[in-house]
Amino acid sequence: MTRFVALGAFALAVGCSAPAENNPGLTSMTIKNGTVKGTYNPSGWTSQEIRKDINAGACAGRGVASYAEVAQPNGLISYTATCA
């Protein structure tokens, strides 16, 4: 499985057009006003991997101050984080 992360713009590309719940590599991330929001497929990502990516990218040098997840009806996980 290949995952592509463009940390500069936090645009995460997915290599196919399958529905989200059928794509284990699915992840997305946006940053607005100091808040990081996104969605990932738990079949291909763990919470720890997502937090590590946020810590290394959006919160580089500052660390993650808060992180919360919510399971969605389609099986994906939505998350929100803020940097310290």
Side-chain angles (χ1 to χ4, degrees), residues 1 3 12 14 16 18-28 38-47 49-50 67 69-72 74-79:
M1 169 183 359
R3 300 177 191 162
L12 301 163
V14 177
C16 68
E21 56 272 5
N22 295 330
N23 186 351
L26 176 80
T27 184
S28 67
T39 303
Y40 70 92
N41 187 332
S43 295
W45 294 84
T46 66
S47 178
E49 289 173 313
I50 297 297
Y67 181 86
E69 294 186 342
V70 176
Q72 300 300 309
N74 63 1
L76 301 178
I77 306 292
S78 292
Y79 62 88

Side-chain angles (χ1 to χ4, degrees), residues 18 20 24 26-27 47-48 51 54 58 62 78 82:
L26 176 80
T27 184
S47 178
Q48 291 78 18
R51 289 183 72 149
I54 293 169
R62 297 176 287 165
S78 292
T82 57

